[in-house]
Amino acid sequence: IGISILMLLVFRSLRPWLLGLLSVAIGISVATGVILLTQGGLHLITLVFGASLIGEAIDYSIQYFAAHLHAGKDWQAQRGLALVRPALTVAVATSLISYGLLGLLPFPAVSQIALFALLGLGAACGIWLLLFSSFFTNFAGLTDSVRTYLPWLERAGVVSTGRYGKWTYCSMEDAMIMGREAATLVRRGARRRR
């Protein structure tokens, strides 16, 4: 719920939120369908646990939206996709390898959860890379939204940092550097109050 509210506030549009949820729904649907067709049944725990695993696919859309926000008026959908593709590929590949290894365990329920996650994450990422990215040309008010919220948060004493805090595309290393800078700001503020 928190991510949904944040996306609606920052992007001021239902389209990014709906497409993010749609990619998750497609992943869950593909995984459910394939397992029902190939295994004849679906454990309830697979559906519950597997759906929560596929929920990480919302991050794929957030990375794309953050790249869009960072580019501002210079946004080009194909350039944005080229920017986030390496990070998405690594994120999906590591998840798929992990769930693939989990699927080798001799426990039917665990193997089914792993297969569900493999299919669902693969479908959710595939839909972004192949289809959804072409829907984004520009979001009206996106840059203005962030320019409004970030100063408001700063005046309220909130240090907003990192990929989701600044709504910018950055690597893990960049996020760690921003986190260290945020910690320094918080320490300075605490010293001033003494």
Side-chain angles (χ1 to χ4, degrees):
I1 295 174
I3 292 289
S4 298
I5 292 170
L6 187 59
M7 287 179 71
L8 287 171
L9 286 173
V10 170
F11 294 113
R12 294 185 185 180
S13 171
L14 285 175
R15 187 168 55 166
W17 179 72
L18 289 173
L19 287 175
L21 290 180
L22 183 59
S23 71
V24 172
I26 288 170
I28 291 170
S29 299
V30 166
T32 301
V34 170
I35 286 178
L36 287 174
L37 287 172
T38 60
Q39 297 183 4
L42 183 70
H43 295 286
L44 181 59
I45 192 71
T46 299
L47 187 60
V48 172
F49 195 72
S52 67
L53 294 174
I54 294 172
E56 81 178 61
I58 198 80
D59 187 47
Y60 308 154
S61 59
I62 291 173
Q63 287 188 38
Y64 192 78
F65 302 145
H68 181 276
L69 180 66
H70 183 68
K73 295 180 193 276
D74 297 329
W75 174 251
Q76 291 179 353
Q78 292 308 313
R79 190 181 306 163
L81 182 59
L83 179 67
V84 299
R85 184 181 288 126
L88 284 179
T89 303
V90 169
V92 171
T94 56
S95 293
L96 295 180
I97 290 168
S98 299
Y99 294 125
L101 292 172
L102 188 64
L104 298 176
L105 293 174
F107 306 110
V110 173
S111 296
Q112 193 177 71
I113 290 170
L115 180 61
F116 191 95
L118 279 165
L119 295 167
L121 286 173
C125 182
I127 202 74
W128 265 105
L129 293 176
L130 300 174
L131 182 62
F132 283 177
S133 59
S134 63
F135 288 142
F136 297 102
T137 53
N138 220 330
F139 293 121
L142 180 63
T143 306
D144 295 336
S145 175
V146 173
R147 286 187 189 140
T148 300
Y149 289 116
L150 288 178
W152 180 82
L153 289 171
E154 190 175 314
R155 286 191 303 273
V158 175
V159 178
S160 185
T161 189
R163 180 181 296 175
Y164 304 122
K166 295 283 188 185
W167 285 93
T168 184
Y169 184 78
C170 62
S171 68
M172 182 58 77
E173 181 182 3
D174 294 331
M176 291 170 66
I177 291 169
M178 285 187 259
R180 185 177 44 197
E181 291 169 354
T184 302
L185 286 173
V186 169
R187 272 186 265 156
R188 283 183 192 153
R191 287 184 193 142
R192 286 186 207 143
R193 285 186 223 140
R194 290 183 196 170

